[in-house]
């Protein structure tokens, strides 16, 4: 039905300019003959006589004689429950020889969830990590990114969350999307998933650093389409871990610059916020459906800079962030989650009586206040020395130290349930005089401060 | 009028069609909503409010020859619309959880009948804006039915009874008049006269009401990095401010935040009327993943609806969260049009558009001679929290209140994390008289508070160098009191039932107590560390959680406690 055309006029980076022939739709997928292989592209701009094609694989060895074919389809992915337990490439093609009968074909860009059809996320997810569970609680349907930097163990943390995350004993289906991570990193995840049996319950999409970069634009879309299908049609609880969004944004910039678009901040395209939102907003819970889609995107902040466009725009879209901290890691505290710049906007509904424990909210406030106070005094000490401190100041210093040692530092292999985490906090409160524990209610002090 | 598509580039479509600037068009076989934004000879540039994937050159475009308009009439309250006023609840009922392309549902319910009570007799002469009747839209809101703009003459056949929004309720000059009319969103509605702003819009948030008030009809900006609490402040404002109508525009923000409002507001009570907050609220939800062109339109849709209620003689508060996303939508469209960019890629007309939008706020005399106002509170999301970027800077040139959010305060969990040194309000002079009349001492205490906080900031720098204990006692006391002001007064817990809203009288009692404490302690030889943990300071800290009814009693016992605690902390037990 569709013919091969010989209409390429110019090639620039990942873009082909073609002379228009026949009926081409905006966003349509096309196939390009590269030797024996057929590679995929998508229409980015189409007018009466010309079209711009973005090629998802390398354009190496393509020339003006290369043939191109239009599929009359927009970018779609075949989805099926049977995909669980298998590994796919960044475009959603199986890595093994297995074939899958698609139950449905979905547009990879998805559709916006109607805000009035959403349900407010409110189920506590126990990650088994004290700093997250107590201080930046993750709830089902939330999107909570990990802000990391080079040299920090975000992969280990993500693997730990995948291993340990549970809601009242119920497990998740994990959708894992790798965008431009190294093969070594990818192997780390795969081995960990295999070792712990998590793979049986996971769908893995791999686009590694040596895979075509433009394919990376599709990877989260494909993964999230599958995730949405499982969550909202098959009513499963899905946890999507997507790493690394910094690589994804690099690709956006690459395509944008090849199109000679007007750049926004630091050369990233002006529509990066919208583009990221189109991915991140594909999380949540909806009315009349038991399933949920929880997202943990991971990104590495160039030189730890939180104002860099990638973390900055992400932070504006996601519902909080988990921040990893170099100085905690240097002191040997693992996982090095710094609770102060971390935040979960949705934790309020997920904690408290009937969800975790009635003292949770007060304990969290008290930990924040006391740790922040301790750090402030630590700073003063660095200027004036410890000798001029009052007794109470010294107690705060001790609190901050013990908080890092006992509460933050739990290792990648320990899973603490929420009661245990809260009890550790109460043990720490003993280091401070009772009248300093202003955020705790009297009743709670009587009950838990033993 | 019909034409055809020539080119598609993201949300921008070029078409061969007749039409004028801002004409609404239907694009492609699904009839996607779009607007002509530029004319290049025969070619028209259209921004499309829906996803354009799948459109092809050669497909049909129809011109409706109408500008983008909103439907105004009873039935707006309690609803949630997208950026082009499509009813999202109805869409969800019809289509399920995802929003499909090409939906064409009316904004106002066509089935529902409203009880209309005429206020004028047949054969009266009427002009635009005149109120001709009323509808009790819900328990707390009286909807006033106005003569639509551009209609004038003798009213005849005026009826009483139950009508849908498009049934005839009267004739003017022989022409049918119904409960609903349309208005083009980009054009400000007419008013009789602008009036000075002189009454504060009370938000129930201590730091705002006391230190940086906004006036009814005023404009305020909240710039802040992510995580600093912009949205919480906007929502607190929407919940508790003493306006009659709230228009809340979620412009390119999170879907779950809209859900929060939708699920919370029906259960919260308006402090003024005791009715569910949703009864006075209209939501415009164009979340970040919804089409970017509709995001551009959402601000206008919201403000046009706000003007409609203002014209009925009400005080309207409009929250725009966030104007940065709106500006980015403009940037994105402008980029697609290959316009010459201004600063940071934003179009050169950014400041003009921002100014035009904020100018639609104000305190006015309506065409019917009533008093109405629109107050606008715009959130700004500066990249990296850097206030020198174009959207923040252009906004600050227009707005008269600046609530600066500070990430370091938020990291310390000081909420609302409004920086009391950097923020300002230019409405102090306007509202002074009103406060003085209703709450004696207000202005005096405010000035004292601000002075004290500034002194504290200067002292803190010294403390960083020499430590607290080496300061003279008087300064230590000042630091203690400033800390009390910060923690026990400025901090407010939005998630506590007792503290979420603070009435002006409670606010005054709280700050007054702190200063009573200060004055009592001044010029005495004191053990400051003892004072820090005294009963009085503890009681002051607990004031925010005391409910208004018990406040008088609490203050009475506190007065005694202050005297006692300070006596206990006096060195040698004797006064100087």
């Amino acid at each position: 039905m569709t013919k091969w055309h010989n209409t390429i006029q110019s090639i620039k980076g990942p873009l082909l300019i073609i002379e228009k022939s026949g009926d081409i739709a905006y966003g349509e997928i096309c196939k390009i003959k590269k030797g024996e292989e057929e590679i995929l592209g998508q229409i980015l701009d189409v007018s009466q006589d010309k079209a711009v094609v973005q090629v998802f694989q390398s354009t190496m060895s393509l020339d003006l004689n290369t043939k191109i074919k239009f599929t009359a389809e927009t970018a779609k992915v075949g989805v099926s429950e049977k995909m669980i337990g298998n590994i796919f490439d960044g475009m959603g093609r199986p890595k093994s020889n297995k074939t899958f009968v698609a139950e449905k074909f979905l547009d990879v860009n998805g559709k916006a969830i109607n805000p009035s059809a959403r349900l407010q996320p409110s189920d506590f997810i126990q990650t088994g990590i004290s700093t997250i569970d107590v201080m930046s609680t993750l709830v089902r349907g939330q999107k909570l990114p990990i802000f990391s930097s080079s040299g920090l163990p975000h992969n280990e943390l993500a693997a730990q969350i995948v291993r340990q995350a549970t809601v009242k004993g119920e497990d998740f289906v994990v959708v894992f999307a790798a965008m431009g991570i190294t093969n070594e990193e990818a192997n780390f995840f795969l081995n960990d998933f295999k070792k712990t049996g998590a793979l049986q319950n996971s769908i893995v999409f791999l686009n590694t650093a040596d895979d075509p970069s433009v394919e990376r634009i599709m990877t989260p879309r494909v993964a999230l389409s599958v995730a949405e299908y499982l969550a909202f049609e098959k009513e499963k609880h899905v946890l999507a871990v997507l790493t690394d969004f910094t690589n994804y944004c690099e690709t956006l910039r690459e395509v944008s610059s090849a199109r000679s678009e007007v750049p926004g901040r630091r050369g990233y395209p002006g529509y990066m916020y919208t583009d990221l939102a189109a991915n991140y907003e594909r999380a949540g819970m909806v009315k009349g459906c038991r399933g949920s889609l929880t997202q943990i995107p991971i990104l590495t902040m160039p030189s730890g800079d939180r104002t860099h466009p990638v973390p900055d725009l992400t932070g504006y879209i996601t519902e909080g962030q988990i921040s990893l901290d170099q100085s905690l890691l240097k002191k040997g505290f693992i996982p090095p989650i710094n609770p102060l710049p971390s935040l979960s906007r949705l934790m309020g509904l997920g904690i408290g009586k009937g969800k975790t424990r009635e003292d949770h909210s007060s304990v969290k406030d008290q930990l924040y206040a006391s740790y922040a106070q301790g750090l402030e005094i630590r700073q003063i000490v660095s200027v004036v020395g410890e000798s001029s401190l009052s007794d109470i100041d010294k107690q705060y210093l001790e609190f901050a130290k013990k908080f890092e040692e006992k509460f933050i530092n739990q290792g990648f292999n320990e899973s603490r349930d929420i009661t245990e985490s809260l009890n550790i906090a109460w043990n720490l409160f003993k280091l401070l005089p009772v009248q300093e524990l202003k955020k705790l209610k009297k009743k709670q002090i009587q009950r838990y401060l033993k | 009028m019909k034409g055809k598509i020539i080119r598609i580039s993201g949300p921008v479509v070029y078409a061969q069609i007749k039409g004028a600037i801002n004409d609404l068009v239907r694009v492609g076989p699904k009839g996607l909503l779009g607007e002509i934004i530029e004319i290049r000879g025969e070619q028209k540039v259209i921004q499309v409010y829906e996803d354009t994937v799948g459109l092809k050159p050669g497909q049909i475009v129809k011109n409706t020859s109408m500008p983008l308009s909103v439907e105004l009439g009873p039935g707006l309250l309690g609803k949630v619309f997208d950026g082009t006023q499509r009813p999202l609840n109805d869409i969800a009922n019809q289509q399920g959880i995802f929003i499909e392309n090409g939906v064409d549902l009316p904004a106002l319910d066509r089935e529902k009948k409203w009880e209309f009570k005429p206020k004028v007799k047949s054969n009266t002469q009427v002009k635009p804006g005149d109120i001709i009747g009323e509808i009790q839209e819900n328990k707390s809101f009286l909807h006033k039915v106005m003569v639509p703009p551009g209609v004038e003459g003798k009213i005849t056949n005026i009826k009483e009874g139950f009508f849908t929004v498009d049934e005839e309720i009267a004739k003017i000059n022989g022409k049918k008049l119904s409960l609903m009319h349309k208005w083009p969103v980009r054009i400000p509605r007419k008013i009789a006269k602008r009036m000075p702003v002189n009454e504060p819009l009370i938000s129930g948030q201590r730091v705002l009401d006391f230190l940086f008030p906004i006036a009814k009809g005023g404009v305020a900006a909240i710039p802040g990095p992510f995580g600093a609490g912009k949205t919480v402040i906007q929502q607190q404002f929407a919940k508790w401010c003493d306006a009659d109508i709230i228009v809340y525009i979620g412009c390119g923000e999170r879907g779950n935040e809209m859900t929060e409002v939708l699920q919370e507001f029906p259960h919260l009570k308006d402090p003024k009327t005791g009715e569910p907050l949703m009864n006075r609220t209209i939501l415009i939800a164009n979340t970040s993943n919804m089409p970017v062109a509709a995001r551009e339109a959402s601000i206008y849709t919201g403000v046009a609806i706000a003007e409609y209620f203002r014209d009925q003689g009400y005080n309207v508060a409009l929250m725009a969260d966030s104007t940065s996303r709106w500006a980015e939508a403009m940037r994105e469209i402008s980029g697609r049009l290959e316009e010459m960019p201004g600063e940071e890629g934003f179009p050169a007309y950014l400041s003009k558009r921002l100014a035009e939008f904020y100018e639609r706020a104000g305190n006015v005399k309506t065409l019917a001679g009533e008093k109405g106002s629109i107050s606008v509170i715009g959130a700004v999301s500066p990249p990296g929290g850097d206030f020198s970027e174009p959207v923040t800077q252009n906004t600050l040139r227009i707005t008269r209140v600046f609530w600066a959010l500070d990430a370091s305060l938020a990291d310390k969990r000081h909420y609302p994390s409004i920086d009391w040194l950097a923020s300002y309000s230019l409405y102090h002079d306007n509202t002074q008289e009103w406060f003085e009349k209703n709450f004696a001492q207000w202005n005096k205490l405010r000035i004292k508070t601000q002075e004290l906080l500034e002194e504290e900031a200067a002292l803190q720098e010294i403390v960083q160098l020499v430590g607290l204990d080496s300061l003279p006692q008087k300064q230590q006391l000042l630091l203690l009191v400033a800390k009390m002001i910060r923690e026990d007064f400025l901090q407010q817990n939005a998630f506590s039932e007792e503290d979420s809203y603070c009435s002006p009288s409670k606010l005054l009692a709280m700050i007054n107590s702190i200063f009573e404490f200060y004055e009592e302690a001044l010029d005495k030889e004191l053990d400051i560390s003892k004072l820090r943990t005294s009963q009085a300071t503890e009681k002051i800290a607990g004031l925010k959680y005391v409910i208004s009814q018990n406040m008088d009693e609490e203050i009475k016992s506190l007065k005694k406690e202050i005297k006692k605690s300070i006596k206990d902390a006096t060195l040698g037990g004797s006064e100087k």
Side-chain angles (χ1 to χ4, degrees), chain A residues 26 45-46 114 273 312 316 368, chain B residues 7-8 54-55 252 382 384 413:
Chain A
Y26 172 73
D45 191 320
V46 54
N114 189 326
Y273 176 82
D312 188 52
Y316 275 120
Y368 269 119
Chain B
R7 176 182 167 198
I8 307 121
L55 287 181
R413 298 313 190 254

Side-chain angles (χ1 to χ4, degrees), chain B residues 170-187:
Chain B
K171 278 190 161 51
I172 292 179
N173 278 357
K175 273 199 183 151
K176 171 185 158 180
L177 188 73
S178 60
L179 294 175
M180 176 196 93
H181 68 271
K182 289 195 173 188
W183 182 258
V185 296
R186 294 183 198 275
I187 302 173

